[in-house]
């Protein structure tokens, strides 16, 4: 049985916070169409980077839903067998183990009292009471329900843990792929951690202010002989340095662009301090001797 809806998680807000209302509207409509028809939309704006990740989540939820339906069908068959056992208890007043059923009062399984007692226990069921004698051996379907609940809870925790371990964000995947494709002179990004997720969100806001994309940022960095390390002046540039908001501004303003000829302070102000002080000392000595510089 297919669902007439898809789950929109609160965590989507974080991924969509940099989008305009119009982009959010296009994205949500595309997700509705994908949920109903499994047809991927062709989106024009930055929302296309988010669509793939959310569509994957819809697919995972769809698979999970089918698994739950299958499990419910199997449980329905088991409950059919459990009802037969319950009917025997109601008619005979004893459990399959031969002991009398446990009630809060002294009433026995007469005139439907047993069914009422079991209903009360179902409403106030405490999983911690299994094995304590209250439910032990008396109600197999209560124990089965508890086990199912524990298993489903464990599966959900494992799913969340796996998603957390992936360490990927909606923007992170696209930005990292663009960096690896464009910045061939710099080390590739292998993993998008939680720290990098936050940095990418801040970088996206800065780029939006500058009307600039990640691709344009990475292209300027790769084109710079200084940032790429091709001129040998500095070789510590990397993904995290480039997506820093303050460095984005410098790159956008052309601080590290290539310039014709040589420049003593090549690299936007970075230079060899030892060489600088050696030249300054030589000049000072020349001035003291009254020589022309």
């Amino acid at each position: 049985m297919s669902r007439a809806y898809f789950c929109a998680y609160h965590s989507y807000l974080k991924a969509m916070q940099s989008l305009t209302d119009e982009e959010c509207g296009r994205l949500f409509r595309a997700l509705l169409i994908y949920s109903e028809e499994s047809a991927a939309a062709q989106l024009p704006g930055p929302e296309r980077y988010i669509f793939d990740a959310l569509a994957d989540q819809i697919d995972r939820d769809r698979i999970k839903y089918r698994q739950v339906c299958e499990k419910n069908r199997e449980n329905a068959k088991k409950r059919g067998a459990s009802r037969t056992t319950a009917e025997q208890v109601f008619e005979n007043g004893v459990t399959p183990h031969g002991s009398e059923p446990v009630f809060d009062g002294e009433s026995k399984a007469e005139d439907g009292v047993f069914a009422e007692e079991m209903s009360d226990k179902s409403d106030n069921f405490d999983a911690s009471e299994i094995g304590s004698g209250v439910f032990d051996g008396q109600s197999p379907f209560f124990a089965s329900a508890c086990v199912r609940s524990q298993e489903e809870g464990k599966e959900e925790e494992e799913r969340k843990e796996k998603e957390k371990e992936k360490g990927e964000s909606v923007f992170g995947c696209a930005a990292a792929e663009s960096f690896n494709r464009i910045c061939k002179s710099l080390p590739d990004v292998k993993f998008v951690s939680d720290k990098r997720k936050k940095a990418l969100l801040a970088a996206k806001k800065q780029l939006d202010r500058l009307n600039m994309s990640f691709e344009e940022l990475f292209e300027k960095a790769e084109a710079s002989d200084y940032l790429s390390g091709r001129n040998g002046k500095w070789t510590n540039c990397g993904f995290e340095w480039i997506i820093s908001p303050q460095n984005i501004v410098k790159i956008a303003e052309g601080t590290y662009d290539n310039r014709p000829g040589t420049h003593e302070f090549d690299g936007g102000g970075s230079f060899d301090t030892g060489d600088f002080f050696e030249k300054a000392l030589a000049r000072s000595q020349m001035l003291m001797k009254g020589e022309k510089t």
Side-chain angles (χ1 to χ4, degrees):
M1 179 185 297
S2 60
R3 295 188 296 181
Y5 64 93
F6 74 91
C7 296
Y9 299 96
H10 291 166
S11 58
Y12 291 175
L13 289 173
K14 186 175 181 180
M16 298 168 61
Q17 63 183 0
S18 64
L19 300 181
T20 64
D21 290 344
E22 182 181 357
E23 291 166 347
C24 288
R26 289 199 301 262
L27 174 63
F28 194 75
R29 181 171 58 186
L31 292 172
L32 285 170
I33 294 174
Y34 183 80
S35 176
E36 182 179 27
E37 303 175 1
S38 296
Q42 298 296 325
L43 297 170
E47 68 273 11
R48 66 182 182 274
Y49 298 120
I50 304 177
F51 174 81
D52 290 338
L54 302 191
D56 288 343
Q57 183 61 54
I58 291 176
D59 291 337
R60 288 193 294 270
D61 290 344
R62 187 180 290 130
I63 294 173
K64 179 69 175 178
Y65 178 73
R66 286 198 293 266
Q67 292 174 346
V68 170
C69 289
E70 181 63 28
K71 185 178 291 186
N72 288 342
R73 281 192 290 270
E74 295 176 359
N75 293 336
K77 296 177 182 179
K78 294 177 182 178
R79 283 196 295 271
S82 298
R83 279 196 294 272
T84 302
T85 303
E87 290 171 359
Q88 293 174 353
V89 176
F90 177 77
E91 292 175 358
N92 303 325
V94 294
T95 68
H97 301 282
S99 59
E100 293 186 356
V102 178
F103 299 113
D104 294 335
E106 297 179 354
S107 58
K108 299 293 182 71
E110 299 176 357
D111 300 327
V113 175
F114 176 74
E116 294 178 2
E117 293 287 348
M118 295 302 285
S119 176
D120 291 340
K121 290 184 181 294
S122 177
D123 293 337
N124 301 288
F125 176 61
D126 184 357
S128 63
E129 292 182 343
I130 290 185
S132 64
V134 178
F135 291 102
D136 190 22
Q138 309 298 335
S139 178
F141 40 86
F142 280 140
S144 177
C146 178
V147 171
R148 288 197 305 273
S149 177
Q150 291 175 338
E151 290 177 349
E152 292 173 358
K154 185 177 180 181
E155 290 176 358
E156 181 65 16
E157 289 179 1
E158 291 177 352
R159 183 186 67 80
K160 290 181 179 179
E161 187 65 24
K162 288 180 180 179
E163 290 184 355
K164 183 177 180 181
E165 289 176 355
K166 288 180 181 178
E168 297 178 349
S169 69
V170 174
F171 293 122
C173 294
E177 289 176 0
S178 298
F179 177 86
N180 292 343
R181 174 171 49 83
I182 297 171
C183 297
K184 298 295 186 181
S185 302
L186 301 174
D188 285 349
V189 176
K190 302 296 185 182
F191 183 73
V192 181
S193 62
D194 289 339
K195 179 182 177 181
R196 286 179 171 177
K197 286 182 187 179
K198 296 178 181 178
L200 283 165
L201 291 173
K204 182 66 168 63
K205 292 180 181 179
Q206 186 71 287
L207 288 170
D208 288 342
R209 297 189 192 101
L210 299 170
N211 194 25
M212 191 178 191
S213 67
F214 276 111
E215 288 81 0
E216 292 171 331
L217 174 69
F218 298 147
E219 285 171 357
K220 284 183 70 68
E222 176 63 20
S224 169
D225 290 340
Y226 178 73
L227 294 182
S228 66
R230 286 190 294 270
N231 64 5
K233 295 290 185 178
W234 187 48
T235 57
N236 292 329
C237 185
F239 181 69
E240 291 186 2
W241 189 93
I242 291 175
I243 64 174
S244 173
Q246 59 267 31
N247 294 334
I248 288 175
V249 174
K250 295 178 183 178
I251 296 173
E253 291 177 345
T255 303
Y256 303 102
D257 288 356
N258 299 330
R259 293 176 177 81
T262 60
H263 197 289
E264 183 177 0
F265 302 137
D266 190 15
S270 297
F271 58 93
D272 188 335
T273 55
D275 182 62
F276 172 80
F277 286 114
E278 183 179 346
K279 291 180 180 180
L281 179 60
R283 176 171 177 160
S284 175
Q285 291 174 345
M286 291 172 65
L287 290 173
M288 290 176 65
K289 294 178 180 180
E291 300 179 8
K292 294 183 180 181
T293 60

